[in-house]
Amino acid sequence: MGLFSFEDQLFQYGQYHNNKINQYIHIVFVPTILWSALVWLSQVDLGLGHWSLDYLWPLNAAFVVTAAYNLYYIVLEPVAGTMYAPILFTLCHFANTFAAKDEVFNLSPNMAALLIHVTSWIFQFIGHGAAEGRAPALLDNLVQALVLAPFFVWVEVLFMFGYRPAFRSKLQKRIDTALVELKKAKNRKAQ
């Protein structure tokens, strides 16, 4: 599986996220996991100085991670990656704004982000266990779970709106075939 092969990466991801309920859970909670991580990263000054857009995106770890993720997404799938940029950089901006607050619901921004982060992961695991009936992808591919999940959730939303229907159909057939093979292998193992 190539690190820069959009189809291969999405194929792998799709095998763990084929159930609609699990997909919807991910659409809600993957961005909150990313956002809460950006809240923490926004407090890491990399010593890169200042630039004209500091008021939106200070040159901190949150900005660098956001830019690196987005660059990777654009390389993987130029149109979807470019369309995702405004959303990613908005998440980054609001993470910076949130981290700068003194208090949120009587909690520090870090503690509030931690609660959101943990709650989001719990929902992810519930989605995989209850809806998908399978362990999450992060147990097999940590990079895909932490780096690619936000993009693949975005692509799933785009698919819902008709993005690249021929590609989606071809990919879904590959995923369905792989899941049938996985089920056969599990049945053989159980016997």
Side-chain angles (χ1 to χ4, degrees):
M1 173 175 60
L3 189 60
F4 293 98
S5 170
F6 179 64
E7 183 174 345
D8 288 350
Q9 291 290 339
L10 197 54
F11 168 68
Q12 182 72 22
Y13 184 84
Q15 291 177 65
Y16 290 88
H17 305 90
N18 203 44
N19 176 282
K20 286 292 180 201
I21 293 169
N22 194 32
Q23 289 172 357
Y24 291 131
I25 288 170
H26 280 65
I27 287 168
V28 172
F29 292 105
V30 166
T32 58
I33 289 170
L34 175 61
W35 174 83
S36 57
L38 291 174
V39 168
W40 300 321
L41 290 170
S42 71
Q43 299 167 62
V44 179
D45 183 357
L46 300 175
L48 298 175
H50 298 283
W51 68 319
S52 61
L53 295 177
D54 254 359
Y55 66 99
L56 289 173
W57 303 289
L59 293 176
N60 55 31
F63 178 81
V64 170
V65 166
T66 300
Y69 272 37
N70 196 230
L71 181 61
Y72 180 47
Y73 299 160
I74 290 169
V75 168
L76 273 179
E77 172 63 20
V79 174
T82 301
M83 290 170 60
Y84 198 31
I87 294 168
L88 282 176
F89 284 97
T90 299
L91 282 174
C92 182
H93 170 72
F94 284 115
N96 277 288
T97 303
F98 188 85
K101 293 183 180 297
D102 291 329
E103 191 175 278
V104 180
F105 300 113
N106 295 323
L107 297 170
S108 72
N110 283 336
M111 185 56 68
L114 178 64
L115 288 172
I116 291 166
H117 197 82
V118 169
T119 301
S120 298
W121 276 111
I122 289 169
F123 275 96
Q124 298 277 72
F125 280 100
I126 290 169
H128 280 283
E132 200 76 51
R134 187 169 183 194
L138 76 99
L139 300 178
D140 291 336
N141 190 333
L142 192 60
V143 171
Q144 191 173 76
L146 299 179
V147 176
L148 289 166
F151 187 51
F152 291 151
V153 164
W154 170 244
V155 170
E156 194 60 50
V157 169
L158 292 178
F159 283 163
M160 290 175 186
F161 287 100
Y163 182 73
R164 295 189 62 188
F167 173 76
R168 182 183 188 195
S169 177
K170 174 185 165 192
L171 180 66
Q172 190 60 52
K173 286 177 186 170
R174 275 186 73 193
I175 291 168
D176 292 344
T177 300
L179 290 175
V180 166
E181 291 301 317
L182 178 68
K183 190 172 183 178
K184 285 180 186 176
K186 279 186 179 180
N187 288 340
R188 282 192 299 268
K189 202 174 194 179
Q191 294 176 351

